[in-house]
Amino acid sequence: MNQLFVKLKEAECDVEGALARFLDDEELYEQFYGELLNDEAFGKLGLALEERRITDAFEYAHTLKGIIGNMGLTPLFETVCEIVEPLRVGSMDGVLVKYYELLKQREYFSQFIQ
């Protein structure tokens, strides 16, 4: 198992489940991992939140939730869920704080591939 997967396991990610969804194709997983961390949905989510476009913010957050969940990135998944659920009911309570936490986590996970 390469260093990325070792670090992900140490970060309490569901590496085995994610690899199963990727048919044990570690190279494909790594490709998607890099793409996810650079996904424009993170920035679009932030802009939608700043502009208080709750419906748009929900769509971006929900998209990220699905991708992050399939990739088994448990800490990121838990945080993005805390963004999605208030937005689902039209609330922004605490969402910006969680968004900034998500960005910090993304930066932390980006270090795994440098």
Side-chain angles (χ1 to χ4, degrees):
M1 187 168 282
N2 72 32
Q3 272 302 97
L4 172 61
F5 297 106
V6 170
K7 290 178 181 179
L8 289 174
K9 280 184 136 187
E10 290 172 355
E12 300 183 12
C13 294
D14 179 19
V15 174
E16 289 82 13
L19 282 175
R21 286 185 287 282
F22 279 78
L23 304 174
D24 292 319
D25 189 336
E26 291 183 9
E27 189 175 306
L28 181 63
Y29 182 92
E30 288 183 60
Q31 177 187 339
F32 274 81
Y33 184 84
E35 290 174 10
L36 166 65
L37 296 174
N38 294 308
D39 196 300
E40 63 185 21
F42 285 101
K44 288 181 176 182
L45 170 59
L47 184 60
L49 290 173
E50 287 176 16
E51 296 175 353
R52 301 191 61 80
R53 291 183 287 119
I54 292 175
T55 301
D56 291 340
F58 172 79
E59 292 299 323
Y60 295 126
H62 195 265
T63 296
L64 286 170
K65 178 183 169 188
I67 297 167
I68 290 168
N70 279 319
M71 300 219 39
L73 304 173
T74 307
L76 288 166
F77 182 75
E78 291 170 352
T79 302
V80 79
C81 284
E82 293 180 52
I83 295 170
V84 168
E85 293 313 313
L87 292 173
R88 184 184 306 277
V89 296
S91 173
M92 289 210 26
D93 290 344
V95 170
L96 276 175
V97 170
K98 289 298 174 181
Y99 172 70
Y100 293 124
E101 183 180 325
L102 181 68
L103 292 181
K104 286 179 190 174
Q105 289 174 322
R106 180 181 71 161
E107 187 172 316
Y108 171 75
F109 278 87
S110 293
Q111 297 173 26
F112 294 178
I113 55 172
Q114 292 180 3

